[in-house]
Amino acid sequence: MIRTATPADVPVIHQLIRDLAEYEKALDEARATPEQLHEALFGPHPAAYAHIAETDTGEVAGFALWFLNFSTWRGVHGIYLEDLYVRPDLRGGGHGKALLTELARLCVERGYERLEWSVLDWNKPSIDFYESLGARPQDEWTVYRLTDEALKELGS
């Protein structure tokens, strides 16, 4: 079952984000607090949205956290999937596909023309999974990022 996250889900979302960061070998970079997540998801001006995948017994299997982006070329919003994570012991049960299916459904329902995300180039199981759904890599684009001191220096 896929459902929209509620404020009561913030602790489990926070833990799943940390689990994902550990899987991606970057736990030290996962600095978001539960309070920050609550504000981003449920504050007066939500910046992100989340969906929860549950097992038949109501156990949280995984989550998708996303936000709106905008295509100047197409003139409409899209969804950028920031995080998709299913607990390792529950993978293969269709939870990841169900989460992506729900986001694709939202895109179609709302007239959004893109559902996009990034994947680490070494994450072959995820790449194979995404490609099995019809997703294609955008390898002609390179992601750039400013953070920490470089961001502060440029912004000062």
Side-chain angles (χ1 to χ4, degrees):
M1 180 180 97
I2 305 302
R3 62 176 176 78
T4 302
T6 68
D9 293 313
V10 168
V12 74
I13 292 169
H14 183 256
Q15 183 57 56
L16 292 172
I17 289 169
R18 295 192 54 78
D19 293 348
L20 173 60
E22 185 172 20
Y23 173 77
E24 292 182 345
K25 303 171 186 154
L27 184 57
D28 59 323
E29 295 179 41
R31 295 180 278 193
T33 66
E35 294 77 20
Q36 288 173 313
L37 288 173
H38 187 276
E39 181 70 17
L41 293 168
F42 304 107
H45 305 287
Y49 308 91
H51 283 79
I52 300 292
E54 291 183 333
T55 66
D56 293 339
T57 61
E59 177 185 3
V60 173
F63 80 110
L65 192 143
W66 56 276
F67 56 88
L68 293 179
N69 59 14
F70 184 81
S71 170
T72 57
W73 291 13
R74 296 202 175 199
V76 296
H77 283 291
I79 287 177
Y80 186 85
L81 175 60
E82 179 66 20
D83 286 335
L84 174 71
Y85 184 74
V86 174
R87 291 183 164 154
D89 59 319
L90 296 172
R91 290 182 186 153
H95 304 293
K97 183 177 181 180
L99 285 162
L100 284 170
T101 298
E102 175 61 12
L103 296 185
R105 187 194 69 73
L106 286 174
C107 285
V108 171
E109 177 183 279
R110 297 176 183 181
Y112 304 161
E113 295 189 14
R114 290 182 180 166
L115 172 55
E116 297 179 311
W117 62 92
S118 297
V119 61
L120 291 165
D121 59 7
W122 56 260
N123 193 345
K124 182 99 169 85
S126 292
I127 291 168
D128 291 346
F129 168 63
Y130 298 145
E131 290 184 357
S132 77
L133 299 176
R136 295 294 170 250
Q138 302 299 299
D139 50 13
E140 68 272 16
W141 294 89
T142 301
V143 175
Y144 281 83
R145 179 178 294 159
L146 274 172
T147 62
D148 303 323
E149 292 308 312
L151 178 63
K152 289 176 188 170
E153 185 176 323
L154 184 62
S156 296

